[in-house]
Amino acid sequence: MRTIAHLALRELRRSWIRNLFAALAVGIGIATIIASDLISRAITEEIAESAEGKAITAFMSEQLDVGLTAIGLVITVGAGFLIFNAFAMSTTQRREDFGRMRAVGMTHRQLLLMVLLEAILTGALGIVFGLLAGVGLGRGLMFLVTTTSDVFNRFGEVSLSPDRLLFGATVGLATTIIAALLPAIRASRTPPVAAMRATSSSGRNLNQYRIAGGCAILLTAMWIFLIVDPPGLWILPPWSSYLTVALIALWLLCIGLSLPAIVGLSGVWLRRPLTAILRLPGRLAADNLRRARARVTFTLLTLIIGVAMIIGVTGYLGYWFEELFFRNSERSLKENPGMGFFPLEIDAGLQAYEDVFDFTLTDNLIAEVEAAAEGHAAVVQGYFVLAPELSFLGEHYFSFIIDPHSMQQSGELFFTFTYGDWPHALEITDKDCGLFLTPTVAQKNNAWLYDTIPIQTPLGSLDCTIAGIGPTFVGASIISDAGLTAFNLTAPVTLSVFPHEGEGRDEILAEFAAIADRYTGVWFTDLSQVSKMQMEAMGTVRTMMSGLLFLAILSATLGVINTALISVSERRREYGVLRAAGATRRQVSAIVIVEGLLFGLIGAGVGIVVGTGVVVIHIVVSGGSVFGYPDFPVWEVALASIQPALTRGILALVVSPMLIALASWLPARAALRGTAIETLGRRETPL
Amino acid sequence: MSEIIETNDLQKQYRMGDVVVEALKGVDFTVHEGEFVAIMGPSGSGKSTLLHLLGGLDLASGGEVFLADRRLTRLRDTAITVMRRRHVGFVFQFFNLLPTLTAAENVALPLLLDGQSVKESSARVTETLEQVNMGNRAGHMPDQLSGGEQQRVAIARALVTDPEILLADEPTGNLDSSSGEQVLVILRRACDAAGQTIVIVTHNPTAAAFADRVVFLQDGALVHEILGGPFDVSAITEAIAHVNV
Ligand SMILES: Nc1ncnc2c1ncn2[C@@H]1O[C@H](COP(=O)(O)OP(=O)(O)OP(=O)(O)O)[C@@H](O)[C@H]1O
Ligand SMILES: [Mg+2]
């Protein structure tokens, strides 16, 4: 055991730079988990004092929480893959060492123990770094947001939750251990002599081309289906999610399985032009694509995952925030611009919620507004409640209680029918409690149009019938006025007024503004202003997610640098042989750089294809089904959403080749510094 | 005959912290054009170190190396490299081949590095591979070859540029006696027919017997030499016994 620990420590010391990078990558994954938790809890806690306040702010924090958790998860999974990759690669590259150790009598168990120890020590370092970075990042992002955002200008003070810390640490350690152990187990199973033989199986693997061919046919069929009959036009939740997941899995699996063939074919195709342009370095780089299997696969996978993650998250954010979320409200506000009375200064952002305890409008005000509106405008009283069954996202997304008759007169801001119609809906709501829901919420309750579902209220269970399905304002469910008594509500939180067509909008506005002026604690604002604030809020959510995405980019970069470092340290013998055979330092450097550029281009290229495919499949399959938009222009939206992502992708196409080339060239330069014999023989490098 | 290799007071020290290993302690060594010289000596006596310095693969700690009238110790690295590429073939004791290149590509390497195209080089590569009896294994990867076969490919690579000087560190170390003899015959022929200068390091008296001259190295210094080869093997073993006394 002492010997094993000694060997493990020696290895860590010998390759300290690479291990440091691996630890940093682990740390970043953990930091993401912790930061997203801190941020989303900071919003509601200690800000909103009253029930209504909580109901309204919870809607924002719920978005943030669901969004950050989802993005955080994607990034954690991505980072996990990257960590896995880096470890797997370095363990694979040590096969020869393992073979020697086994040859001199190290048992399987001793070998695995050694690798395990190394992984635990690296993981532990990563965890410490991740905890510090996570707290720093969370607080940093919040600070950035409070100083720049008009909405999220006040956050609560939250402390770290031990659960999350434990979760983060476990995820980090588990990933590290699995990533290190799996390849070590494989290596320890190969007979020592086979392990010691240099690994560079050549020859064309016919099977891999057969698999790639099958995959190409399958994927072609899938895209034809998506183009001819986009499921987003007819599918409903939860099938939209299932089909999305299934097709994305097919996409990823097929590309993953075809990767060897893609790489092999690029090697074959690029050999001639590269040789013609770059002579020997070009030729060697093209050949290495096909022959240095392990190294190429790991380097490319790291890049592909990194780039695909960036493209995927960016594209998804564009889809959700620009195309989906405000689609209805933007359109209907343009058609029928309303105005609203609020018990707090909406423009002041979260700060406004801090000192307000009564979130309702007084009877006097309501009476006065209704009298003034008589014949000129529709008035909608809006109540906010939390009904977990009807929550659009998570458990704490607010629902409205609105009188359907006033809603009908107000235009399409609150609700539009995709399934059902007003006559049937009003028939239901005049008798009983009726609901207007998005397909997502309906399916969440396993119910559909005209089904009845029980809602838990302070006065017990209330049976409500689904009177309409379609897009609602920001996805919130709408309960008919029968819910008022059940939820014990006496006064509304908002009054929205929608001038009838042809009425003098400016005069009405002035009249209402004058009424609002006479009441303290009442603000009167254009509803498009509210919508703008919502969008601002969403923008902030997006900023935070981009902040997390930055982490993903960072961890991808670390992963890429890591694989480049590993390959160089593994290849110094090769450089030495090249030097001995008469290659100048400049020639060896050229080989290293050309290869880096080539790997970078292919990796980023495939990454862009993968990421774009994921986003497009998601949009085309899911369409507007979450909100129930009729006639959602799936392909148009898909192309629009992917554009900002593609800009980043092109950036990646430029940056990653340079990054890999640089990350390979710097250590290669150090390796080449001495004489050829020193390059061949020097083992004591920190890589 | 003119001198093609000459060293003056050649020294090499390896410093590892406080410990200094004196691998070469002032070696004066001369090789004439077209000569076949074998270097013998116990393990650790500095044979490989000497050969590396002759080939400009390593830097001397002191003294001079002249190669074809050029003072290696004064040349810049690129000049040494180009010189090595064109005038010197080198065969290592270990690690000779690039694992990702086929046998033929490994052999072609010096030509390609010198700017030839694959087409231009292929005839010469085939010829050289056949010379070492590896013509039928041209497309194989190094890990599909035995140690001795790899060594023969390495020798072909050293010969492919038709260098004036061939330096080989234990070229027969991994070979059975018959293929070892094949290699030595190849080297001997290169020397006799093409006038190439050959320096090999070997522990094997049979191999040393092929040389025109055998020099003995001990503790980093030349201690003995015998002239007038090719020799009888018994002459070599006698000389070894003499040195060891
Ligand atoms: N890179 C190095 N660092 C430190 N010492 C070295 C290094 N290379 C060689 N030496 C030492 O220099 C001495 C001569 O080594 P060299 O390799 O020339 O021996 P050799 O005669 O070729 O031995 P062998 O017959 O075993 O190959 C040895 O004592 C060796 O330990
Ligand atoms: Mg030696």
Side-chain angles (χ1 to χ4, degrees):
Chain A
M1 179 67 205
R2 288 253 318 261
T3 320
I4 302 295
H6 183 73
L7 282 174
L9 279 176
R10 268 277 308 276
E11 172 63 24
L12 288 181
R13 260 223 313 274
R14 192 170 73 84
S15 326
W16 66 270
I17 292 187
R18 183 193 337 136
N19 285 303
L20 190 67
F21 273 109
L24 284 181
V26 175
I28 287 173
I30 298 174
T32 315
I33 298 178
I34 291 175
S36 63
D37 172 57
L38 266 186
I39 295 170
S40 54
R41 276 189 309 129
I43 289 191
T44 28
E45 240 153 84
E46 292 183 37
I47 294 180
E49 301 288 342
S50 68
E52 281 93 348
K54 276 214 168 74
I56 300 166
T57 52
F59 129 80
M60 291 191 251
S61 74
E62 198 68 44
Q63 285 233 343
L64 209 54
D65 193 30
V66 170
L68 289 180
T69 306
I71 302 276
L73 208 69
V74 168
I75 289 167
T76 309
V77 169
F81 262 113
L82 292 173
I83 297 164
F84 182 86
N85 231 357
F87 268 92
M89 176 158 175
S90 68
T91 313
T92 308
Q93 302 286 36
R94 281 169 64 200
R95 260 165 61 106
E96 227 175 291
D97 280 356
F98 292 161
R100 279 189 206 110
M101 288 178 186
R102 298 252 295 116
V104 298
M106 190 183 251
T107 63
H108 287 269
R109 287 192 39 193
Q110 285 173 319
L111 183 90
L112 294 185
L113 187 64
M114 183 180 77
V115 175
L116 188 69
L117 271 178
E118 288 172 28
I120 290 177
L121 289 176
T122 313
L125 183 66
I127 288 171
V128 172
F129 168 73
L131 297 187
L132 296 177
V135 176
L137 182 92
R139 300 234 186 274
L141 268 180
M142 281 191 263
F143 175 75
L144 194 76
V145 166
T146 35
T147 46
T148 55
S149 166
D150 291 339
V151 179
F152 290 98
N153 42 19
R154 173 79 173 82
F155 282 109
E157 285 293 322
V158 289
S159 48
L160 285 170
S161 78
D163 288 358
R164 266 293 169 118
L165 283 185
L166 204 65
F167 175 68
T170 313
V171 168
L173 202 57
T175 319
T176 321
I177 289 176
I178 294 173
L181 269 191
L182 280 187
I185 289 173
R186 255 187 61 190
S188 79
R189 289 232 175 96
T190 26
V193 175
M196 274 174 353
R197 282 213 152 195
T199 48
S200 70
S201 45
S202 64
R204 235 174 252 218
N205 188 347
L206 263 185
N207 233 358
Q208 89 193 15
Y209 288 103
R210 226 171 272 152
I211 293 174
C215 274
I217 294 173
L218 214 58
L219 290 182
T220 311
M222 179 187 86
W223 285 111
I224 289 177
F225 162 63
L226 291 182
I227 290 170
V228 173
D229 184 16
L233 293 179
W234 44 263
I235 205 163
L236 285 171
W239 292 105
S240 51
S241 314
Y242 298 159
L243 192 63
T244 306
V245 169
L247 290 189
I248 286 180
L250 177 74
W251 174 243
L252 294 180
L253 195 73
C254 265
I255 292 198
L257 287 176
S258 311
L259 195 59
I262 295 173
V263 170
L265 282 180
S266 342
V268 174
W269 288 333
L270 291 173
R271 195 166 194 249
R272 221 163 237 285
L274 280 178
T275 312
I277 302 167
L278 300 163
R279 316 229 57 162
L280 188 63
R283 190 181 138 96
L284 286 182
D287 282 350
N288 275 340
L289 264 184
R290 276 181 306 150
R291 291 170 181 169
R293 273 295 154 62
R295 180 159 53 89
V296 173
T297 313
F298 285 125
T299 311
L300 289 187
L301 266 185
T302 305
L303 250 184
I304 292 171
I305 293 167
V307 173
M309 204 156 70
I310 294 166
I311 300 250
V313 171
T314 312
Y316 181 77
L317 290 179
Y319 166 52
W320 182 256
F321 290 123
E322 302 209 331
E323 304 292 344
L324 219 46
F325 208 74
F326 295 108
R327 195 173 193 81
N328 230 35
S329 49
E330 256 178 69
R331 201 199 46 200
S332 61
L333 277 176
K334 224 175 274 162
E335 275 172 17
N336 189 1
M339 295 164 275
F341 292 85
F342 301 91
L344 78 173
E345 199 179 347
I346 295 275
D347 293 3
L350 282 185
Q351 228 160 31
Y353 293 83
E354 224 175 343
D355 323 303
V356 180
F357 297 97
D358 183 8
F359 270 94
T360 50
L361 298 171
T362 58
D363 289 343
N364 288 345
L365 173 73
I366 297 165
E368 220 178 306
V369 170
E370 290 200 323
E374 188 73 55
H376 305 290
V379 179
V380 180
Q381 302 188 6
Y383 297 79
F384 289 77
V385 289
L386 284 181
E389 302 89 342
L390 301 180
S391 172
F392 178 61
L393 290 174
E395 294 287 295
H396 307 288
Y397 206 90
F398 76 93
S399 302
F400 285 114
I401 298 182
I402 295 176
D403 168 23
H405 289 278
S406 66
M407 192 161 83
Q408 184 190 13
Q409 290 161 25
S410 71
E412 304 205 315
L413 178 66
F414 291 103
F415 180 76
T416 323
F417 281 98
T418 306
Y419 302 93
D421 50 57
W422 276 118
H424 285 92
L426 290 178
E427 201 177 299
I428 292 168
T429 57
D430 282 347
K431 276 206 300 266
D432 278 317
C433 168
L435 299 172
F436 299 86
L437 308 175
T438 58
T440 308
V441 176
Q443 290 292 352
K444 193 169 147 184
N445 290 286
N446 281 321
W448 200 242
L449 194 62
Y450 307 138
D451 289 345
T452 300
I453 52 180
I455 310 290
Q456 295 312 312
T457 71
L459 296 185
S461 183
L462 174 69
D463 282 338
C464 297
T465 305
I466 301 178
I469 289 178
T472 64
F473 182 64
V474 300
S477 301
I478 298 165
I479 308 172
S480 71
D481 46 352
L484 286 179
T485 40
F487 279 96
N488 247 335
L489 298 174
T490 47
V493 175
T494 68
L495 280 182
S496 316
V497 289
F498 299 87
H500 292 320
E501 229 159 298
E503 295 286 338
R505 196 180 135 72
D506 292 340
E507 286 159 38
I508 299 174
L509 181 77
E511 196 176 335
F512 284 131
I515 298 175
D517 273 348
R518 270 184 270 124
Y519 292 84
T520 50
V522 170
W523 280 265
F524 180 66
T525 325
D526 213 304
L527 279 184
S528 61
Q529 186 63 28
V530 178
S531 187
K532 229 191 256 153
M533 292 309 291
Q534 300 271 18
M535 265 185 235
E536 229 266 25
M538 292 302 104
T540 305
V541 173
R542 226 175 142 169
T543 307
M544 297 214 182
M545 291 182 184
S546 300
L548 291 186
L549 185 65
F550 172 74
L551 278 191
I553 297 175
L554 206 63
S555 82
T557 309
L558 284 180
V560 167
I561 291 178
N562 206 358
T563 49
L565 288 182
I566 297 169
S567 26
V568 168
S569 75
E570 184 53 31
R571 296 174 70 204
R572 47 181 323 135
R573 200 183 280 168
E574 216 176 308
Y575 301 154
V577 173
L578 275 168
R579 294 274 285 129
T584 59
R585 289 200 184 101
R586 193 186 281 252
Q587 282 177 312
V588 180
S589 297
I591 293 170
V592 173
I593 290 171
V594 168
E595 198 180 288
L597 292 176
L598 188 61
F599 284 17
L601 270 180
I602 294 182
V606 176
I608 290 175
V609 172
V610 170
T612 308
V614 167
V615 172
V616 172
I617 291 174
H618 182 93
I619 296 176
V620 172
V621 172
S622 297
S625 65
V626 174
F627 283 84
Y629 294 126
D631 316 324
F632 190 77
V634 283
W635 274 101
E636 207 175 288
V637 168
L639 296 182
S641 304
I642 205 65
Q643 244 149 48
L646 279 184
T647 319
R648 288 191 191 188
I650 287 166
L651 202 65
L653 207 55
V654 176
V655 171
S656 16
M658 295 203 290
L659 183 70
I660 296 198
L662 194 70
S664 327
W665 177 65
L666 284 181
R669 198 181 59 148
L672 290 169
R673 198 166 284 146
T675 61
I677 290 296
E678 280 169 348
T679 303
L680 258 179
R682 197 167 38 199
R683 292 284 291 169
E684 298 301 318
T685 41
L687 299 178
Chain B
M1 272 197 295
S2 63
E3 293 151 359
I4 193 163
I5 300 174
E6 187 182 343
T7 74
N8 288 335
D9 191 26
L10 188 61
Q11 298 172 20
K12 178 71 183 179
Q13 285 128 24
Y14 293 106
R15 212 174 303 259
M16 315 264 297
D18 290 343
V19 187
V20 177
V21 178
E22 293 225 35
L24 292 178
K25 305 172 184 165
V27 171
D28 295 309
F29 177 56
T30 311
V31 181
H32 297 284
E33 213 173 312
E35 204 182 6
F36 187 153
V37 179
I39 303 174
M40 296 191 82
S43 178
S45 55
K47 304 182 298 293
S48 297
T49 306
L50 177 58
L51 212 62
H52 293 158
L53 290 176
L54 296 184
L57 288 167
D58 212 350
L59 287 177
S61 313
E64 302 283 0
V65 179
F66 293 92
L67 203 70
D69 285 337
R70 258 166 290 185
R71 200 196 298 221
L72 275 195
T73 25
R74 283 288 166 78
L75 292 182
R76 287 162 44 93
D77 183 81
T78 309
I80 295 179
T81 306
V82 172
M83 164 120 193
R84 179 167 62 238
R85 188 155 78 201
R86 298 197 178 141
H87 306 288
V88 183
F90 201 99
V91 181
F92 282 106
Q93 191 172 1
F94 313 106
F95 328 130
N96 267 300
L97 305 180
L98 290 187
T100 53
L101 299 185
T102 63
E105 288 165 340
N106 262 292
V107 173
L109 204 54
L111 300 178
L112 300 182
L113 284 168
D114 213 32
Q116 286 194 21
S117 74
V118 179
K119 221 180 265 164
E120 285 162 350
S121 67
S122 76
R124 175 69 189 144
V125 168
T126 315
E127 184 188 345
T128 325
L129 271 173
E130 259 151 25
Q131 217 178 331
V132 296
N133 254 336
M134 289 293 291
N136 54 342
R137 309 295 293 275
H140 284 80
M141 305 301 287
D143 63 352
Q144 297 166 327
L145 300 175
S146 77
E149 288 164 343
Q150 292 185 29
Q151 199 71 343
R152 274 188 275 163
V153 173
I155 291 169
R157 186 176 66 200
L159 289 173
V160 77
T161 52
D162 214 352
E164 289 133 60
I165 303 165
L166 185 106
L167 307 172
D169 198 347
E170 308 252 17
T172 60
N174 286 321
L175 305 183
D176 63 86
S177 53
S178 83
S179 33
E181 192 162 321
Q182 277 176 22
V183 166
L184 289 161
V185 168
I186 293 166
L187 294 181
R188 187 68 247 184
R189 201 189 310 134
C191 178
D192 293 340
Q196 282 166 309
T197 307
I198 304 208
V199 181
I200 65 167
V201 166
T202 184
H203 285 290
N204 184 353
T206 320
F210 277 78
D212 299 322
R213 177 159 62 112
V214 183
V215 300
F216 293 87
L217 209 56
Q218 205 163 40
D219 287 334
L222 284 179
V223 292
H224 187 58
E225 69 176 348
I226 52 173
L227 301 162
F231 304 93
D232 259 1
V233 177
S234 61
I236 308 289
T237 39
E238 266 168 43
I240 295 174
H242 170 81
V243 170
N244 284 347
V245 167

